[in-house]
Amino acid sequence: MSNVTVIGTQWGDEGKGKIVDWLASRADIVVRFQGGHNAGHTLVVGDQVYKLSLLPSGLVRGKIGVIGNGVVVDPKALMTEIDRVTGQGLVVTPETLWIAENAPLILPVHGALDRAREAARGEHKIGTTGRGIGPAYEDKVARRAIRICDLAEPETLDWKLDELLLHHNTLLAGLGAETFTKEQLKDFLTEITPRLLPFSCQVWDRLDEARRAGRRILFEGAQAVMLDVDHGTYPYVTSSNTVAAVAASGSGVSPSSVGFVLGIAKAYTTRVGEGPFPTELHDQTGRTLGERGHEFGTVTGRPRRCGWFDAVLIRRAVRVGGVSGIALTKLDVLDGLDEISICVGYELDGQMIETFPSAPGAQARVKPVYETMPGWKETTAGARSWAELPAQAIKYVRRIEELIEAPVTLLSTSPERDDTILMRDPFED
Ligand code: GDP
Ligand code: IMO
Ligand code: MG
């Protein structure tokens, strides 16, 4: 029996939320360990649709949810989300939600700086969610962040706010954006402190206790390997590491607790925001994938860019992310296509290459080399067993396994929780 860590292997929105919700029935605790409310995870359970950004998806199953120290927490967004899901019948109390007291906060200055910088970047903009994720992580590394535990110490807050504002107001003024007063930030913090502090605790200690008691932990990644600040399409990435190794440092547990790494991959590829995307389709097939897959960002509502499955990128995600098995989602979206292509290599400046380059210019120039196979006419939507899948769909899955050098251990055939095929239980690995 092991823990399981779920990570995205493409550019996000692979269906991590659905898979985490499904797996959570086998876990006791679900832990978010990086990212913030830039994430948007959609869970469909019967006639209820849950849209979660900061809350761990396991809360929907009544499991304990944990927000680890690696997450950047916007307290207003968190409270709004808690109110929303409470209205849908979920129970979110300090008993069911533990938030690391050493997690850094996202303050209004961070969103303002994120948006002002994006505007100033013009055609080189990253296409961020505008939610202050980058500036909040920068403050953490620069040792300027206000952390949740600081809220209990007004004297600490006082000098930390001075330092924070000196930095941010200089930048905001330079960018021609509105600056903030200390009073504004103090008012913001005073309002959220009484609601936020009761959830905060020493998460690392509680998780260690849980480990000793033999409880199963499911780590829920946000974003994906191609958005990882080191391994992704830098600078068109998010500001955290998204690989499974971070589950340990982002929640304060041993690296051996990470367990089975389940990489989530869509049966095709999507991306929101700017940056290289070799298999992007600008034709009718791309539009068909977008329409059938309802490819609109959960957080920003932006249409997602769509393209064929890129086996080269996933093979890299498998290696750098330490992926033990893949959950392949949205297979149903490919139903009825005459032909399906898989990217098996690239051409760069007239040369064949088998790995994705690192420099942005080269990343933008690579041309995908495709292998094409016939599609299937039957429907896979809603299939719950391997036996229900058409032979050609099975061939597609098998070919993907060969190319990415990892087994497909779960398949998803609709947004609905139970439309899932389990080939190998990651908790039993
Ligand atoms: P996440 O960010 O990785 O959790 O993914 P999102 O929730 O942002 O986006 C995935 C979208 O696809 C959501 O709207 C899901 O309800 C939906 N989805 C997940 N799995 C499947 C599937 O197998 N088939 C279809 N058609 N939709 C799916
Ligand atoms: P989930 O967890 C898809 C993208 C943004 C932008 C880049 C940087 O739902 O898969 P940021 O606001 O993080 O500084 O934006 O990263 N991005 C995501 N794309 N899914 C996400 O999360 C994302 N989180 C950030 O669109 O391109
Ligand atoms: Mg999402």
Side-chain angles (χ1 to χ4, degrees):
M1 187 194 83
S2 89
N3 292 332
V4 174
T5 298
V6 165
I7 60 167
T9 59
Q10 292 159 320
W11 280 286
D13 303 326
E14 296 88 352
K16 297 178 289 294
K18 166 179 166 164
I19 300 295
V20 169
D21 168 63
W22 190 82
L23 282 175
S25 68
R26 292 153 200 257
D28 301 301
I29 302 178
V30 179
V31 182
R32 277 283 307 269
F33 54 89
Q34 49 70 230
H37 66 314
N38 49 349
H41 301 169
T42 304
L43 286 56
V44 182
V45 186
D47 58 4
Q48 284 280 358
V49 178
Y50 300 95
K51 290 192 180 291
L52 304 178
S53 280
L54 258 176
L55 292 174
S57 299
L59 282 171
V60 175
R61 291 270 193 184
K63 305 294 169 148
I64 290 172
V66 176
I67 296 181
N69 55 277
V71 175
V72 282
V73 179
D74 181 322
K76 272 260 165 77
L78 177 68
M79 294 312 158
T80 306
E81 195 173 324
I82 291 178
D83 290 341
R84 184 161 39 83
V85 300
T86 304
Q88 289 185 276
L90 300 191
V91 180
V92 185
T93 65
E95 282 70 49
T96 58
L97 176 66
W98 308 342
I99 307 181
E101 59 181 14
N102 51 345
L105 290 174
I106 300 185
L107 304 178
V109 281
H110 296 122
L113 183 60
D114 190 359
R115 294 185 291 272
R117 273 203 310 229
E118 280 285 273
R121 276 188 194 115
E123 63 170 306
H124 291 293
K125 72 175 194 286
I126 290 166
T128 72
T129 57
R131 297 191 157 192
I133 306 294
Y137 275 116
E138 288 163 31
D139 276 2
K140 166 176 162 169
V141 177
R143 298 164 287 190
R144 255 192 317 264
I146 310 272
R147 306 198 303 176
I148 293 175
C149 50
D150 299 336
L151 297 175
E153 289 188 355
E155 67 284 9
T156 307
L157 263 187
D158 200 63
W159 64 261
K160 285 189 94 170
L161 281 175
D162 285 333
E163 193 189 333
L164 191 92
L165 279 175
L166 176 67
H167 178 83
H168 284 277
N169 278 343
T170 310
L171 285 175
L172 287 168
L175 288 162
E178 267 190 49
T179 56
F180 286 78
T181 64
K182 194 166 166 185
E183 281 316 303
Q184 271 175 302
L185 292 191
K186 271 196 166 159
D187 288 349
F188 174 84
L189 294 174
T190 308
E191 191 190 330
I192 53 96
T193 297
R195 269 198 87 184
L196 184 61
L197 269 187
F199 291 98
S200 80
C201 61
Q202 300 214 326
V203 154
W204 64 269
D205 192 33
R206 292 199 187 178
L207 289 179
D208 192 52
E209 259 177 45
R211 179 188 62 81
R212 286 165 202 266
R215 307 250 239 140
R216 283 177 171 186
I217 304 175
L218 176 56
F219 294 96
E220 176 180 10
Q223 290 85 47
V225 175
M226 296 318 295
L227 288 171
D228 181 286
V229 68
D230 286 296
H231 300 288
T233 44
Y234 191 92
Y236 301 96
V237 292
T238 192
S239 293
S240 62
N241 283 111
T242 58
V243 290
V246 180
S249 61
S251 59
V253 300
S254 150
S256 61
S257 301
V258 168
F260 188 100
V261 180
L262 184 65
I264 317 295
K266 247 178 225 185
Y268 49 101
T269 313
T270 64
R271 171 164 208 175
V272 233
E274 307 301 314
F277 179 175
T279 62
E280 182 170 11
L281 293 168
H282 298 281
D283 59 4
Q284 186 51 44
T285 308
R287 285 189 287 278
T288 303
L289 291 175
E291 283 157 22
R292 301 193 46 198
H294 303 289
E295 297 296 357
F296 293 92
T298 312
V299 169
T300 57
R302 291 177 289 181
R304 296 179 184 138
R305 300 154 64 190
C306 297
W308 292 123
F309 188 88
D310 189 334
V312 186
L313 283 188
I314 311 264
R315 189 162 63 225
R316 170 173 166 157
V318 163
R319 292 192 196 165
V320 302
V323 168
S324 328
I326 288 280
L328 193 69
T329 61
K330 302 192 104 165
L331 188 66
D332 53 295
V333 175
L334 301 180
D335 289 353
L337 293 180
D338 292 333
E339 281 189 333
I340 300 174
S341 296
I342 307 177
C343 172
V344 295
Y346 304 117
E347 190 201 307
L348 176 63
D349 305 333
Q351 301 245 321
M352 293 296 293
I353 53 172
E354 284 184 1
T355 59
F356 197 53
S358 297
Q363 287 187 347
R365 284 200 313 281
V366 297
K367 302 257 176 308
V369 175
Y370 288 119
E371 187 178 290
T372 296
M373 54 200 288
W376 52 91
K377 289 284 161 250
E378 305 88 333
T379 175
T380 66
R384 294 185 180 184
S385 73
W386 190 248
E388 290 172 62
L389 298 179
Q392 198 54 37
I394 292 177
K395 274 195 191 152
Y396 181 63
V397 175
R398 293 295 183 220
R399 184 65 185 133
I400 282 178
E401 286 182 315
E402 280 169 11
L403 289 167
I404 65 175
E405 297 169 7
V408 172
T409 54
L410 265 171
L411 263 173
S412 169
T413 58
S414 100
E416 168 61 38
R417 175 189 272 174
D418 292 320
D419 293 338
T420 305
I421 303 171
L422 176 70
M423 273 85 97
R424 196 162 121 200
D425 184 346
F427 281 108
E428 296 305 330
D429 222 75

